[in-house]
Amino acid sequence: MKVRTRSSAIIGALFLAVTLPLTLTTASASASADGSSAQVVLTEVARAQGPSAGAAGPDGKVWIAERAGTVRILGDYGLGDPVLDISDETTTDGERGLLGVAFDPEFAHFYISYTDLEGTSTIDEFAVADGQLQPDTRRTVLTQEQPYPNHNGGDIKFGPDGYLYIAFGDGGSGGDPHGNGQNLDTLLGKILRIDPTGGEPYAIPSDNPFVAQDGAKDEIWAYGLRNPWRFSFDAGTGDLLIGDVGQSEWEEIDWAPASSKGGENYGWSSMEGNHPFRGGTEPANHVPPVHEYDRSGLGCSVTGGFVYRGEAIADLAGSYVYSDYCDGTLRTLRIEDGAVTEEGDLGVEGGEVISFVEAGDGELYVLAIGGTVSRLDPA
């Protein structure tokens, strides 16, 4: 590992080593035509090497992770020099690499989610002082072996409750050959919830849904997921939204209210979206997606986003913004009481959209694996 001070799709079937030019277009359709009245553009603010994830950091800065193992801070003139470099500890084979980053609510700790050289998913922690990483404080919080080089998941976020949530895919290959999605005795195919500073190496919140249940991992918050590549919490309501990448026909977005006590079963691999998968039977406790779309029409790999809570685009407030790795169009959902009341198309295309980043002020950034870091702005 190399740590320096600052001096100046994956998803779906394969990562594509293609750099596409970013098309900046203005949404011009009316609300009656596309379900959204927001007029937006994508403004390229930086170029990166395979940007994969990001997080709001100290002093209002946005930190951007590059899949090969570096983290850089976005400034007025693009990205600065790496403040963290673990490129000798990870690999970009398959869907591996540096896949997620997060700060705790006090910006006292910085967390990275990556696959090591053996492919093991790893969550590491660094202390932060005066906005800078403290390399000597690095420690490993949690690891999970991965049987295949795909469906690693890897996203990490702190929830409104102050706990760290971790997304892991079902372990990979195709069709969940080990049945991990419905197996509560593995962390694969799950959203986890832990207290990273409450114990060594972490503590498990006492109100996690499967604590002390025989045959179940205490860390599990929700299950039945194939590859929950990107998830987020609504900064306004605390609701949880998960973009779960489909197998062959359906992409899905799952939703849980802030009042949830956890334990949701999103169905994989008995279900793909609302549909039985390969003759599977719908579980009695299946929580269907709040939204799904057919791969034959819109794309191949959902990229979960955020509910927009910024101030720059008033007509977008309260809309969930998401995309698809293969399609690249930014789309929106209005969700009320667990049901979609409106679907929209923002009319902008961001390339191979691999991730969204929510800045501290609620504005959204769009990352394309080809290298663009763009901000969603009013037209």
Side-chain angles (χ1 to χ4, degrees):
M1 179 197 71
K2 300 177 274 268
V3 179
R4 300 196 266 276
T5 57
R6 182 175 174 228
S7 62
S8 17
I10 297 178
I11 335 167
L14 294 171
F15 271 96
L16 302 181
V18 178
T19 300
L20 297 182
L22 180 65
T23 302
L24 301 183
T25 55
T26 302
S28 57
S30 66
S32 60
D34 71 355
S36 174
S37 60
Q39 303 283 307
V40 303
V41 295
L42 280 174
T43 304
E44 182 176 321
V45 296
R47 300 287 302 187
Q49 296 295 317
S52 56
D59 303 319
K61 300 293 187 181
V62 172
W63 291 42
I64 300 293
E66 295 171 309
R67 184 181 162 221
T70 51
V71 177
R72 300 198 281 165
I73 300 175
L74 182 63
D76 294 336
Y77 303 100
L79 294 171
D81 293 337
V83 295
L84 176 67
D85 185 346
I86 62 162
S87 57
D88 58 351
E89 300 178 49
T90 188
T91 174
T92 56
D93 291 343
E95 296 176 2
R96 296 167 174 168
L98 177 55
L99 305 178
V101 293
F103 284 92
D104 65 17
E106 293 78 30
F107 302 111
H109 298 91
F110 181 66
Y111 296 84
I112 59 174
S113 171
Y114 68 100
T115 53
D116 69 13
L117 295 175
E118 285 71 47
T120 297
S121 291
T122 305
I123 311 296
D124 281 359
E125 175 196 88
F126 296 85
V128 179
D130 298 323
Q132 295 188 344
L133 300 186
Q134 306 300 301
D136 293 343
T137 66
R138 181 180 180 181
R139 71 181 185 96
T140 294
V141 176
L142 182 147
T143 62
Q144 170 62 49
E145 292 184 1
Q146 295 282 353
Y148 304 101
N150 61 335
H151 302 183
N152 300 283
D155 202 9
I156 51 176
K157 296 283 192 305
F158 275 85
D161 52 15
Y163 293 129
L164 180 63
Y165 290 71
I166 301 166
F168 284 147
D170 64 6
S173 187
D176 194 9
H178 302 293
N180 291 323
Q182 292 297 305
N183 181 5
L184 293 175
D185 196 28
T186 175
L187 302 183
L188 296 172
K190 313 296 190 296
I191 298 287
L192 314 181
R193 177 185 187 238
I194 65 170
D195 179 358
T197 59
E200 183 58 46
Y202 58 88
I204 295 171
S206 61
D207 58 348
N208 270 11
F210 300 107
V211 168
Q213 178 174 317
D214 290 342
K217 297 291 188 184
D218 294 346
E219 294 90 341
I220 296 172
W221 179 255
Y223 68 108
L225 295 157
R226 180 178 179 273
N227 190 22
W229 169 246
R230 289 292 173 252
F231 71 94
S232 65
F233 292 94
D234 182 344
T237 66
D239 297 344
L240 171 64
L241 291 121
I242 307 165
D244 194 19
V245 179
Q247 170 73 34
S248 55
E249 296 185 39
W250 298 94
E251 300 298 307
E252 72 179 80
I253 294 169
D254 299 306
W255 175 90
S259 60
S260 169
K261 302 301 182 182
E264 288 85 358
N265 177 6
Y266 294 112
W268 178 255
S269 59
S270 297
M271 305 290 289
E272 184 181 13
N274 287 304
H275 314 271
F277 178 72
R278 295 181 180 173
T281 300
E282 183 174 16
N285 63 343
H286 176 222
V287 178
V290 71
H291 181 68
E292 66 174 15
Y293 60 89
D294 187 342
R295 280 188 170 194
S296 65
L298 295 181
C300 76
S301 181
V302 65
T303 300
F306 289 86
V307 175
Y308 180 76
R309 296 296 180 185
E311 297 182 355
I313 313 170
D315 289 335
L316 196 59
S319 290
Y320 178 69
V321 182
Y322 70 102
S323 188
D324 186 284
Y325 178 72
C326 296
D327 173 79
T329 301
L330 269 58
R331 294 186 168 86
T332 62
L333 302 174
R334 291 272 184 178
I335 301 172
E336 296 181 10
D337 298 324
V340 173
T341 60
E342 187 179 277
E343 299 180 36
D345 181 338
L346 290 178
V348 292
E349 193 275 332
E352 296 165 317
V353 177
I354 199 165
S355 195
F356 290 81
V357 185
E358 183 180 46
D361 59 3
E363 302 305 326
L364 296 184
Y365 291 80
V366 181
L367 308 184
I369 195 62
T372 53
V373 178
S374 304
R375 186 178 59 240
L376 191 62
D377 287 336

